[in-house]
Amino acid sequence: MSTATDLAQRARESSVTPWVRDNVGLFLVLPGLFLFSAFMFYPVLYLLYLSFTKATNAPPASIHSGNEQFIGLENYVSILADPSFWNSMGVTWLFVATSVVLKLAFGIAVALVLTGERVRGQRFLRSLVILPMGLPAVFSITVWSKIFDNARYSLSNKILLELGLEKANWMTERWLAFFTYNVTEVWLAYPFIVIITVSALQDVPEELHDAARVDGAGYFHRFRHVTLPAIRRPVLFGGILTSAASFQQFLIPFIFNDGGPGSANSLLIHYGYTEAFGQTPPAYGRAASIMMLTLLFIGAFMWLNVKKGKLAEGVDER
């Protein structure tokens, strides 16, 4: 009898042990998956739920009372018919396009300088260039908001006056304010592009440049036909990541001029925030639907860029 029990025990152990050994990775990531679900999936699901309600801070539809009034797709229909939403959508996409182009151009240019053969003190310069990454974003944005203040003797207007030009109303003229958004966004993100580009440039085989020189290619021809193709994928990857960050930008319009003048420069995240907290009573349900649409657009944008940019090539799809 004991022999049969021992055999059964051994059979169970022999079947369980290989399974545990083969799935040990799953057990290692389970705590991380739990935390990720708690801090990511649950808020998104709750946001989705709120988007189908008319939740405000006033009874009977209170975000705190648990008796939010269910209204189905009414929030989405209302938003998609609202010109303010489409203005915010257009401004956001324009901001993404212009800021990403400027960030890539400036970041690549700085990286080329930092890796130039004639540049001395490269380590010091690289540490200096990435300094903005060590500063809190709210601090940097606040400083830039004071640089572009409408006051006559703000730094930007003082420079204009020294050049014999008129002072500019940076915060109250729409496209001037939009320009200041771009300048600040470039300052915040260009160190990331520089780091990626410098790393990519160091991996470009010097033999390719030597061969191009032998063929009589100048600097710009070598950059276009040798350097740029070699660094395309990492730079494209950095551009996609920083474009997603631009899409989610909130602090710049919030600190500069609250998306002004009026709401002309209100980016999507700021627009949703204003719907939730910038009016009485707050429209939590409407704001939640704006954020869900934003999340949808960001997800589609990232997927298309990764797919079209072929950044997933070589990844095992098992």
Side-chain angles (χ1 to χ4, degrees):
M1 189 71 177
S2 60
T3 304
T5 304
D6 292 342
L7 289 175
Q9 180 68 21
R10 290 172 185 172
R12 286 194 296 269
E13 290 178 354
S14 63
S15 61
V16 172
T17 303
W19 184 88
V20 172
R21 184 176 60 250
D22 294 340
N23 295 275
V24 65
L26 176 63
F27 292 106
L28 292 175
V29 301
L30 277 177
L33 286 175
F34 173 76
L35 292 175
F36 182 80
S37 300
F39 290 99
M40 181 63 68
F41 288 146
Y42 173 74
V44 170
L45 291 175
Y46 188 60
L47 191 70
L48 179 63
Y49 163 70
L50 283 181
S51 70
F52 296 121
T53 69
K54 194 176 182 180
T56 66
N57 67 339
S62 172
I63 192 172
H64 303 294
S65 65
N67 60 344
E68 298 89 352
Q69 180 183 352
F70 184 80
I71 59 175
L73 296 174
E74 185 177 320
N75 283 326
Y76 291 95
V77 173
S78 173
I79 287 168
L80 293 175
D82 187 355
S84 297
F85 171 76
W86 292 109
N87 173 74
S88 180
M89 176 68 73
V91 170
T92 302
W93 280 112
L94 181 61
F95 175 72
V96 170
T98 53
S99 65
V100 168
V101 170
L102 291 173
K103 283 184 283 190
L104 289 178
F106 187 67
I108 292 173
V110 172
L112 289 172
V113 172
L114 293 179
T115 55
E117 296 177 355
R118 300 180 180 180
V119 177
R120 297 292 180 266
Q122 290 187 5
R123 289 186 179 180
F124 171 75
L125 291 176
R126 290 178 189 181
S127 63
L128 191 64
V129 162
I130 66 174
L131 181 62
M133 294 186 69
L135 301 175
V138 66
F139 170 80
S140 297
I141 294 170
T142 302
V143 170
W144 279 102
S145 70
K146 300 308 177 184
I147 290 174
F148 287 114
D149 194 270
N150 285 342
R152 183 176 181 84
Y153 290 106
S154 64
L155 180 60
S156 57
N157 279 331
K158 187 171 178 61
I159 292 173
L160 291 178
L161 292 172
E162 290 292 333
L163 294 175
L165 303 174
E166 294 292 327
K167 88 174 191 72
N169 296 316
W170 300 101
M171 296 295 108
T172 53
E173 294 185 20
R174 179 180 186 180
W175 296 115
L176 284 179
F178 185 79
F179 169 77
T180 64
Y181 288 9
N182 275 270
V183 172
T184 308
E185 178 72 2
V186 169
W187 171 262
L188 293 174
Y190 89 90
F192 175 69
I193 300 298
V194 169
I195 291 173
I196 289 181
T197 307
V198 168
S199 300
L201 288 171
Q202 291 175 337
D203 290 335
V204 179
E206 189 62 31
E207 293 79 6
L208 295 178
H209 289 285
D210 294 338
R213 291 190 188 95
V214 171
D215 290 338
Y219 178 81
F220 291 104
H221 280 83
R222 295 199 307 273
F223 173 75
R224 179 181 176 185
H225 297 289
V226 177
T227 305
L228 202 56
I231 67 173
R232 185 186 72 86
R233 288 186 60 141
V235 170
L236 179 60
F237 175 73
I240 292 173
L241 290 182
T242 192
S243 63
S246 296
F247 205 105
Q248 301 171 69
Q249 183 57 252
F250 166 76
L251 284 175
I252 292 177
F254 178 73
I255 292 175
F256 269 49
N257 58 355
D258 207 25
S263 59
N265 287 324
S266 184
L267 305 181
L268 274 175
I269 301 296
H270 179 267
Y271 176 60
Y273 171 86
T274 303
E275 288 292 322
F277 304 105
Q279 57 185 359
T280 303
Y284 291 120
R286 182 178 169 87
S289 58
I290 294 172
M291 296 305 182
M292 286 305 303
L293 288 173
T294 303
L295 184 63
L296 179 64
F297 283 123
I298 293 176
F301 174 77
M302 295 292 288
W303 182 84
L304 284 174
N305 275 278
V306 171
K307 192 75 173 177
K308 296 298 182 181
K310 300 180 180 179
L311 297 180
E313 282 186 348
V315 176
D316 191 354
E317 296 183 355
R318 288 180 298 174

